Amino acid sequence: MRLPAQTAGAPAAAAATAATALAEGAPAAAAPPGPQGGLEDRIARFATIWGRAIFPVTATSLTRPEFERHLLPLTRTLAEALHARPFDAGVAQRVGAELVAVHCTDPEALAGTLGVIESYLVLYCGSVAPAGPVASGADGTEEYRSRCARLQHGIAAGFARALRERTLKEQEAIARSALTARIDAQQALHASEARFRAVFEGAAVGIGIADLDGNVLEANDALLQMFGGLEGHVRGRKVSEWGHPDDTPHVWRMYGELVRGERESYRVEKPYYRHDGTVLWTNLTVSLLRDAEGVPQYQLALMEDTTERRLLNLRLRYEATHDALTGLPNRTLFFERLEKALSGAGGSRFGLCYLDLDGFKAVNDSLGHSAGDRLLVEVADRLQSCATGPGEVVARLGGDEFVALTTGSDTEEKVTDLAVRILSALSTPIRIEGRELTVRGSIGIVEGRARERTPAEVLRSADITMYRAKAAGGNRFEFADAEADARAITRHGLTNALPAALERGEFFIEYQPLVHMHDGSVHGAEALVRWSHPQYGVLGPDRFIPLAERTGLIIPLGRWVLEESVRQARNWQRQLGGASLRINVNLSPTQLHHPGLVADTVAVLEKSGLAPGALCLEVTESALIGADDELLEPLRRLAALGVDIALDDFGTGYSNLANLRRLPVSVLKLDRSFTQGMQQSPANPVDVKIVEGIVALAHSLELAVTVEGVETGAQAAQLRALGCDTAQGWYYARPGAPDRIHTLSLSDAVPTPAPSSTFS
């Protein structure tokens, strides 16, 4: 069958056919209906051009007007497909099949169809559509052209498939006719020979007849053309000479069964070598011909040339499994390779390197995406040069993420060596647009036995490990760790659950009393937020506050904590007959940068009726190190309104003590690390001196001193002697429900429970 070779010249033939159609009176393509012309009018005129282009080569009993009316729904289908969202080129295959159904089987009919569509479909149907045009301007035209080309491919594929199905249906009839002709030849040689030759020579598929020893006796012209057009390359040869390395074992097994009379026919896809060394791919059907007594006599072979279709399929397969920019295997192909490696024998192992370039976004942002693409191409070349060993492959997953896979029995050493080679290859600067760019990468390595994990699990572990390497400074590799993976997965789960948790009311607040050290009376309480997680139970702020910081949820969560704490402080006031208890609320660094901090705080105080002096906002010392006036301005405005500002964890941020004069703070909260040496008697003299100096400095600046983590009576007595003002810790009370603070506030002094050796 010669259809693929003939349709390769479709555009030129179509142009000539379309010109003929115009000469016969078709509407001029250069002057299609204006925008006011309706879509149906454009479709009708396109169908006219189409019909006049291919009608002369169509074997149909329809008149030309009837044939053009038959093309109207096909034209409408193409017009709708041209504008469809999402675009589906599959409908074009039905158009190609419909052409075959109305006997447009001549290759010139397909060539003419493709040419008319290429020249006129966008012109007549591209600017008006039921759903509106895809786009406007040059980009829209290119999109229509791209869709038009894909529709042409679809029509050609549908035409070829339908023609093939029709041909295959005819093959059996041809085979039967050939058999009948041979039998009739014994009875009426001259009459049957003429009929047989008509079928044999005029068939569109290759037909060959061989004896049971495999000697080719007859071959029609179509078969000769497939093998180069020379009769000597086909007739007289033995079938066994046409073996090919790609033949599967069952091909020749079925052949043996057929010539022995054990099988009537078989159908396979088989390659052949032509005399010039090129490969011919065919759909081959071989049938056994028997005489009147049923004794096997001949073999009848029917061949369809599928070489061009196979090459097209191979090209499409390559494009579907390789990255268009770098030429490396893409995610799809890499998953196939990884799945194969993971499904290997029990003793086999694998090693995977997951690479992400450090700072690649900066290249795109500063030099543009074209420079970034050239950088990725160079990186891909270097990575490919690293994976040259047996069982090693490199792929691009997308963006600046690459993977390298190695397999074998000693992959732990091989994958380490591979990672070292990759980092070494990237260390040489890359020149892009006259600039030298230093490329760094972070690699996560997963190594293990086959059959233990799925590809998705391996990639997830490698991705987590890569980010761990990046967090450690980058330009390095890390090996996967199951516990680290579990922690990362848990963090990811908590991060995803945070927004819904706030909406569902899963957060609650516990309050830890602040006690006057000189008499033990309750001075106030610090609000400590907790998360009642449905899976992990009650989580402390250290488990979810950093996640809320990274996701931005700290702003609504912080506001909720402020509202609840201030409302509770106001309730305490009412329960105590107006006595004021201070409520301490922590502010995160992100909240300090939020432009609505002051307005939100004032609104919460006004709504609750709590006086500003009853609220103390705690800010960590590290958040204010190097703070400029712009950052300090909101705190100064709040302090001016009467809100106390406490410097939390004082002594851990290594700040300049002279900066205390410019900070709008009224309370220093001394970090527990300075007072742990006072839990026993006698107290650590160094800790005593440090605390004594800090207290003296704070009081000289008119700042109150609060001590965290008081756990023993000896510790409390020592701190009271040093002049500390207030304290909190398990020695006085653990964090608890609001009612606990109310009960303690009614007492003259806080009870002192037995000290605990742990603290949280």
Side-chain angles (χ1 to χ4, degrees):
M1 189 172 169
R2 302 173 59 186
L3 178 57
Q6 291 170 323
T7 57
T17 306
T20 302
L22 291 177
E24 293 176 358
Q36 69 276 11
L39 177 61
E40 288 300 319
D41 181 50
R42 289 170 171 263
I43 288 175
R45 299 180 71 177
F46 178 87
T48 298
I49 295 176
W50 189 3
R52 294 182 178 181
I54 68 173
F55 182 81
V57 293
T58 300
T60 177
S61 60
L62 300 175
T63 64
R64 188 161 65 185
E66 290 174 339
F67 183 73
E68 291 173 359
R69 284 196 296 274
H70 185 80
L71 294 178
L72 275 174
L74 303 184
T75 303
R76 190 174 293 106
T77 297
L78 293 176
E80 291 172 354
L82 187 64
H83 299 274
R85 288 190 177 182
F87 176 68
D88 179 14
V91 298
Q93 296 188 20
R94 296 196 293 273
V95 174
E98 186 63 20
L99 290 176
V100 175
V102 294
H103 307 291
C104 295
T105 57
D106 193 286
E108 291 300 322
L110 176 60
T113 295
L114 298 181
V116 168
I117 290 173
E118 179 180 16
S119 301
Y120 302 111
L121 182 61
V122 174
L123 185 64
Y124 276 82
C125 304
S127 60
V128 178
V134 174
S136 62
D139 292 341
T141 300
E142 290 300 319
E143 176 64 11
Y144 283 133
R145 291 298 184 190
S146 174
R147 291 188 173 195
C148 181
R150 294 176 64 184
L151 289 175
Q152 289 177 274
H153 295 167
I155 289 173
F159 185 93
R161 184 179 295 109
L163 189 58
R164 176 192 172 191
E165 292 173 356
R166 175 173 173 168
T167 302
L168 291 176
K169 290 178 182 178
E170 293 174 349
Q171 286 180 352
E172 184 176 357
I174 294 172
R176 292 178 184 274
S177 298
L179 175 60
T180 302
R182 296 291 291 179
I183 295 175
D184 290 345
Q186 299 175 6
Q187 303 171 354
L189 179 61
H190 297 291
S192 63
E193 181 70 17
R195 289 194 298 271
F196 174 76
R197 283 299 168 187
V199 173
F200 187 78
E201 297 296 343
V205 296
I207 303 176
I209 299 175
D211 59 24
L212 297 183
D213 293 329
N215 299 307
V216 178
L217 305 176
E218 297 286 347
N220 70 349
D221 185 63
L223 184 62
L224 295 178
Q225 293 301 322
M226 289 182 190
F227 283 90
L230 297 178
E231 186 174 343
H233 293 151
V234 179
R235 288 193 179 96
R237 293 186 60 183
K238 275 189 171 292
V239 172
S240 58
E241 298 177 13
W242 282 330
H244 190 278
D246 290 341
D247 286 338
T248 55
H250 77 284
V251 170
W252 293 103
R253 184 179 69 248
M254 289 188 297
Y255 173 78
E257 294 172 354
L258 183 132
V259 297
R260 291 193 301 269
E262 300 169 3
R263 173 187 291 272
E264 293 303 314
S265 65
Y266 65 88
R267 179 180 296 178
V268 293
E269 184 179 28
K270 176 172 171 34
Y272 294 91
Y273 281 122
R274 296 188 181 97
H275 72 282
D276 59 359
T278 59
V279 177
L280 166 70
W281 280 89
T282 68
N283 280 334
L284 171 67
T285 300
V286 182
S287 301
L288 181 65
L289 303 183
R290 299 176 182 268
D291 61 16
E293 285 73 32
V295 178
Q297 292 289 312
Y298 303 101
Q299 308 172 51
L300 175 66
L302 305 177
M303 292 185 187
E304 178 194 3
D305 186 349
T306 62
T307 306
E308 291 191 12
R309 185 164 68 242
R310 180 179 178 84
L311 292 176
L312 176 60
N313 289 336
L314 290 175
R315 180 62 185 175
L316 293 176
R317 165 67 178 171
Y318 179 87
E319 293 177 353
T321 57
H322 287 75
D323 178 53
L325 177 65
T326 63
L328 293 178
N330 62 10
R331 179 183 291 270
T332 300
L333 182 55
F334 181 76
F335 259 86
E336 292 178 5
R337 301 279 180 85
L338 180 59
E339 188 170 9
K340 182 178 179 180
L342 295 179
S343 61
S348 62
R349 302 182 69 88
F350 74 95
L352 184 144
C353 294
Y354 194 111
L355 168 70
D356 183 88
L357 300 183
D358 298 335
F360 177 72
K361 184 177 183 298
V363 176
N364 277 340
D365 292 344
S366 59
L367 300 181
H369 287 274
S370 60
D373 288 347
R374 288 197 292 275
L375 177 64
L376 291 175
V377 171
E378 176 63 27
V379 168
D381 291 342
R382 295 188 182 188
L383 294 181
Q384 207 158 20
S385 67
C386 295
T388 56
E392 293 182 346
V393 61
V394 174
R396 182 188 178 204
L397 297 186
D400 60 334
E401 295 181 342
F402 298 84
V403 283
L405 177 68
T406 183
T407 56
S409 58
D410 56 345
T411 52
E412 185 171 0
E413 181 178 348
K414 288 172 63 178
V415 76
T416 303
D417 181 60
L418 180 58
V420 170
R421 294 201 309 269
I422 290 173
L423 293 180
S424 176
L426 295 179
S427 63
T428 304
I430 297 175
R431 292 193 63 83
I432 302 291
E433 295 183 351
R435 303 187 184 189
E436 278 196 354
L437 301 180
T438 300
V439 181
R440 293 159 49 93
S442 300
I443 299 176
I445 297 177
V446 178
E447 191 274 338
R449 293 183 180 275
R451 299 181 177 273
E452 292 184 350
R453 283 177 283 187
T454 66
E457 291 171 342
V458 171
L459 262 295
R460 181 179 64 181
S461 179
D463 188 34
I464 292 172
T465 307
M466 178 272 293
Y467 277 106
R468 190 150 49 83
K470 193 177 288 289
N475 199 34
R476 58 186 294 153
F477 60 84
E478 295 282 350
F479 274 87
D481 177 78
E483 294 183 1
D485 288 357
R487 289 194 298 270
I489 294 171
T490 300
R491 285 196 302 271
H492 181 71
L494 293 177
T495 301
N496 291 337
L498 271 171
L502 185 58
E503 295 176 2
R504 290 195 296 259
E506 294 178 2
F507 293 98
F508 66 96
I509 298 175
E510 290 187 332
Y511 299 89
Q512 185 171 35
L514 290 164
V515 178
H516 280 295
M517 298 205 71
H518 67 279
D519 60 4
S521 63
V522 176
H523 172 69
E526 180 179 0
L528 302 171
V529 64
R530 306 284 191 255
W531 183 0
S532 180
H533 194 280
Q535 179 181 355
Y536 301 111
V538 176
L539 304 178
D542 58 315
R543 294 288 301 277
F544 60 86
I545 290 298
L547 305 180
E549 286 267 4
R550 287 199 293 269
T551 60
L553 192 69
I554 192 65
I555 300 301
L557 177 60
R559 182 182 175 88
W560 177 84
V561 171
L562 180 64
E563 290 175 343
E564 288 295 308
S565 304
V566 168
R567 181 188 58 79
Q568 185 57 58
R570 182 59 177 152
N571 289 342
W572 288 331
Q573 285 186 355
R574 295 190 185 98
Q575 293 169 354
L576 296 173
S580 177
L581 286 181
R582 173 176 297 183
I583 185 69
N584 285 30
V585 179
N586 292 283
L587 287 183
S588 74
T590 301
Q591 289 176 279
L592 290 178
H593 291 84
H594 191 261
L597 173 62
V598 177
D600 287 349
T601 304
V602 172
V604 169
L605 290 173
E606 291 179 347
K607 180 179 178 180
S608 66
L610 186 71
L615 173 63
C616 179
L617 299 177
E618 297 188 7
V619 183
T620 60
E621 180 187 14
S622 58
L624 296 181
I625 292 178
D628 55 19
D629 290 337
E630 183 179 356
L631 180 61
L632 295 177
E633 181 59 26
L635 296 179
R636 288 172 178 158
R637 290 171 59 189
L638 290 171
L641 293 173
V643 176
D644 282 333
I645 307 297
L647 194 61
D648 196 11
D649 296 334
F650 181 76
T652 62
Y654 305 102
S655 64
N656 189 340
L657 296 180
N659 285 335
L660 289 175
R661 293 180 299 177
R662 55 187 291 268
L663 300 179
V665 299
S666 55
V667 180
L668 290 186
K669 291 196 71 173
L670 192 61
D671 186 74
R672 70 190 66 199
S673 60
F674 292 104
T675 63
Q676 288 178 343
M678 302 180 187
Q679 292 181 2
Q680 304 296 331
S681 182
N684 186 311
V686 176
D687 288 348
V688 172
K689 288 294 184 182
I690 292 175
V691 174
E692 183 179 16
I694 292 175
V695 171
L697 172 65
H699 287 170
S700 68
L701 296 175
E702 299 182 354
L703 304 177
V705 177
T706 298
V707 184
E708 298 179 300
V710 179
E711 298 187 25
T712 67
Q715 189 180 15
Q718 183 68 61
L719 293 169
R720 185 166 52 249
L722 292 175
C724 296
D725 301 292
T726 56
Q728 63 187 92
W730 282 16
Y731 174 70
Y732 300 106
R734 300 184 180 215
D739 294 343
R740 174 65 172 163
I741 302 298
H742 178 233
T743 302
L744 294 175
S745 301
L746 294 176
S747 306
D748 292 334
V750 175
T752 56
S756 171
S757 61
T758 60
F759 182 82
S760 65

